[in-house]
Amino acid sequence: MPEKAGRLRIAALAAPLTAVLVAPAAAQPPTNLGEVVVTATRTLQSGFETPTAVSVVGGDKIPPGAPGASLAQSLARVPGVVAQNRGSYAQDLQISMRGFGSRASFGVRGIRLLVDGIPVSDPGGQGETDIFNLGDIARIEVLRGPFSTLYGNAAGGVIQVFTKDGPARPTLAGGLLFGSYGTTIERLDGGGTAGNLNYNVNISHFLTDGYREHSGAEREYLYGKFRYALAGGGTLTLLVNGENQPHARDPSGLTRAQVAEDPRQAVDRVFQFGAGESHRHRQGGVVYDRHLGANDSVHAIAWYGSRRVIQYLPFAGDAPLSGGAVVDLGDTFGGGSAHWTHDDMLFGVPASFTFGFDYQRQSELRKGFVNNDGVEGALARNENDVSAQLGEYAQGRWRIGRWQVFGGIRHTRVSFDSDDHFITAVDPDDSGSRRFSSTEPVGGLLYKLTPALNFYANYGRGFETPVFSELAYRPDGTAGFNGNLDPSTSENYEAGLKGDWLSAQFRLAAFHIHTSDEIIVASSSNGRTSFRNAGSTSRNGVELSVDGELGGGWHGYAAYSYLNARFSGGPLADKWLPGVPRDTLYGALTWRYAPLGFSTTLDAQWRSHVYVDEQNSDYAAGYMVADCQLGFRQSVGGWEFSEYGRINNLFDRSYIGAIIVDASNGRYFEPAPTRNYIVGLSVNYSF
């Protein structure tokens, strides 16, 4: 009955909204055909004209604040996406999309992450959002649904960040932010245009003591973008990305009783063993774009980088086969991608075709040491892990009257090789390798019902391999290559409506996903998680968003998602997928008064309860939290000043910000901050 009631609520909500928004379509022609997106089809296209669910979060919609909290608040705007702030910079955000990625105990799984076209996810599909420099983001594109299969090992979707270009005039900018829990951010930007060169450089430093005990962190960012217009046409862009995290303490999860006692506490073991993580990320890339006449264009990228991670887990790791509890990872990674797009007439019908490939490889030296109360001890693990992904794809689009027809196919090969160098009498050779390959089709239709309203439908198959961190431990929790873990596959169906009018946008998507060999948590204890394959799951959902000007300087936005995600076979049949709320609701109301350069926004989000394991034995209660932001902006000559303030958790609610799925010690819960504050100032000067 709860599921049926949920579907009835969706129908009751969608029907009047559709009627209201469709009514003016015949009365006035559309002047707003949606924001231009790239991620859905790899070519510049209006989001209104794409046959899939794709959302854009502009840089102006990213609230000021700590990097993790700000990104989670930004992605809360996107229906179908759940971003949970763990309150620990040693573990990163937990992001799921239509249920994919909810199992991750750290980092992001099942969702492809990119920055300016360069993958942030590794070949297996694990990514980190910690390198996203929020002060340098122009927009975030979020692709949901079957078309994500054209990006390879990403059954859940794609999140792609696009950074800012330099302004027309040389500009120098700086900013300071101060917030609760000893939070500070210092930022310095420089950019401009000099002849054929456009450039933008951003440097920032973030520091916080954290809401909970033992949750302080420090980060430093550098991002540079240099685009040169070539004499014969086309552009060459150099991208430089650096990020340091000198330290980030990990407070770990709490039991329900511990949350009730004191949600800000951390368990004794994290102090004893110095739980936390430090890392260093360096990456460079080159992007080449060129039009070859009126009908052809090429886009090519090459990149290379390195990452070093040292993590202290909250236990000793001195037992045989444990692999240690000080994890030392040294990665080098690189790759390249290219695609060619051709526009032409095919049998008298306008058509566009794209052919391309992408390749990436990562080599990781993984060591483990005994944790002697926060001091690195004896070697307990030493191996070389190499993963690679190669994919070739083709996609096409045809326009036939009011119809658009889309089709594509991708063949992907993913390999994992582990070479064990730590072999003893009690710890045998754990070397292993796995090879996966899959050919995945995708297709879609779009029909223009009116100039302002489009209907679309699509279908695709998804393919999601395990990542190396999921292959690193056997189901019993001991270190060693988990060679029995198989990829999950999915069948994706989606249909929806898109409406764009003079001052409003409307998006509605309904979907069904059937997944086989779901990868789930086998056990999770003391920061170490192992995985296994389970039966199938069924995911049925609806996503709705409305965005529009209300007059008098007011702007409103609302997004609602319903997701019925359950296991559909085996001993877990009818159990809810853990880590996934059934209902999410987000709303924002903004008022701007131009004469004073004043703006204020009230936003709120509500989520239903979330189960903590596959048996649905416990749950984190649902919650509603609201935030309020206001700011002023002034311009004097070449100077521009802005001042802002924000109150997060306006009504001082106590709630669980994230959960650790299947934590075997019962410490599932990671409490979110109560009411907290941010104030800031920025100054720009254009020469």
Side-chain angles (χ1 to χ4, degrees), residues 381-430:
R381 188 171 191 174
N382 184 11
E383 65 192 44
N384 286 102
D385 297 332
V386 177
S387 58
Q389 179 179 174
L390 173 64
E392 305 93 6
Y393 58 87
Q395 58 193 64
R397 179 184 65 183
W398 297 263
R399 295 179 180 270
I400 309 171
R402 291 189 173 191
W403 291 91
Q404 290 190 53
V405 181
F406 296 76
I409 191 167
R410 178 184 172 106
H411 181 67
T412 302
R413 292 175 291 272
V414 183
S415 64
F416 298 93
D417 294 281
S418 181
D419 188 8
D420 188 8
H421 300 293
F422 186 80
I423 302 170
T424 69
V426 296
D427 191 345
D429 189 347
D430 291 316

Side-chain angles (χ1 to χ4, degrees), residues 160-452:
Q160 181 157 201
V161 168
F162 293 91
T163 60
K164 298 175 183 176
D165 292 330
R169 296 172 57 184
T171 301
L172 186 64
L176 290 172
L177 177 147
F178 302 94
S180 301
Y181 321 122
T183 299
T184 61
I185 298 178
E186 301 104 27
R187 177 180 59 85
L188 183 64
D189 303 279
T193 303
N196 290 340
L197 178 65
N198 179 273
Y199 58 95
N200 189 47
V201 178
N202 177 281
I203 302 171
S204 63
H205 176 257
F206 161 70
L207 184 66
T208 185
D209 294 330
Y211 165 68
R212 293 179 57 196
E213 293 179 337
H214 200 76
S215 63
E218 181 180 10
R219 281 186 185 169
E220 301 157 342
Y221 293 97
L222 166 66
Y223 196 85
K225 185 176 184 180
F226 307 88
R227 174 176 291 122
Y228 186 78
L230 302 172
T235 61
L236 190 66
T237 305
L238 173 65
L239 304 171
V240 179
N241 189 4
E243 187 252 347
N244 286 338
Q245 182 170 280
H247 78 274
R249 298 185 177 93
D250 188 0
S252 191
L254 300 176
T255 65
R256 182 176 291 279
Q258 289 169 333
V259 172
E261 179 186 51
D262 179 8
R264 300 189 66 172
Q265 69 175 304
V267 295
D268 292 340
R269 294 173 67 88
V270 303
F271 298 98
Q272 177 185 351
F273 294 103
E277 179 192 284
S278 61
H279 65 246
R280 182 191 66 214
H281 182 93
R282 301 286 186 270
Q283 183 174 293
V286 178
V287 183
Y288 176 71
D289 283 289
R290 187 182 181 96
H291 285 281
L292 307 175
N295 299 328
D296 297 274
S297 63
V298 295
H299 177 83
I301 304 177
W303 69 90
Y304 183 80
S306 65
R307 185 178 176 90
R308 177 78 182 278
V309 177
I310 298 177
Q311 183 179 29
Y312 283 73
L313 299 173
F315 59 99
D318 54 357
L321 306 180
S322 74
V326 178
V327 181
D328 187 339
L329 306 176
D331 298 343
T332 58
F333 52 87
S337 65
H339 67 255
W340 163 57
T341 299
H342 177 70
D343 300 319
D344 209 337
M345 301 292 290
L346 183 66
F347 304 114
V349 176
S352 177
F353 303 95
T354 298
F355 304 91
F357 78 93
D358 53 56
Y359 173 77
Q360 63 178 129
R361 183 181 187 273
Q362 176 173 294
S363 178
E364 179 176 272
L365 176 60
R366 182 186 187 105
K367 292 184 177 181
F369 300 87
V370 172
N371 186 340
N372 290 327
D373 293 341
V375 178
E376 181 183 298
L379 182 68
R381 188 171 191 174
N382 184 11
E383 65 192 44
N384 286 102
D385 297 332
V386 177
S387 58
Q389 179 179 174
L390 173 64
E392 305 93 6
Y393 58 87
Q395 58 193 64
R397 179 184 65 183
W398 297 263
R399 295 179 180 270
I400 309 171
R402 291 189 173 191
W403 291 91
Q404 290 190 53
V405 181
F406 296 76
I409 191 167
R410 178 184 172 106
H411 181 67
T412 302
R413 292 175 291 272
V414 183
S415 64
F416 298 93
D417 294 281
S418 181
D419 188 8
D420 188 8
H421 300 293
F422 186 80
I423 302 170
T424 69
V426 296
D427 191 345
D429 189 347
D430 291 316
S431 299
S433 64
R434 291 296 304 272
R435 300 287 185 274
F436 306 111
S437 66
S438 183
T439 300
E440 310 297 345
V442 63
L445 297 170
L446 184 142
Y447 180 71
K448 192 172 290 295
L449 295 168
T450 75

Side-chain angles (χ1 to χ4, degrees), residues 594-615:
L596 291 180
F598 174 77
S599 66
T600 183
T601 297
L602 177 66
D603 62 82
Q605 57 178 300
W606 169 75
R607 291 177 183 167
S608 60
H609 67 274
V610 173
Y611 288 109
V612 301
D613 59 18
E614 284 80 12
Q615 299 297 331

Side-chain angles (χ1 to χ4, degrees), residues 482-507:
N482 183 10
N484 294 321
L485 199 59
D486 293 323
S488 63
T489 59
S490 57
E491 300 272 343
N492 295 260
Y493 303 84
E494 180 184 89
L497 291 171
K498 296 185 178 186
D500 278 24
W501 290 275
L502 182 65
S503 58
Q505 291 185 358
F506 165 73
R507 301 289 186 265

Side-chain angles (χ1 to χ4, degrees), residues 594 596-598 631-635 640-643 682 684:
L596 291 180
F598 174 77
F632 289 90
R633 187 180 298 271
Q634 309 88 35
S635 297
E640 184 175 281
F641 303 89
S642 64
E643 307 84 26
S682 66
N684 293 23

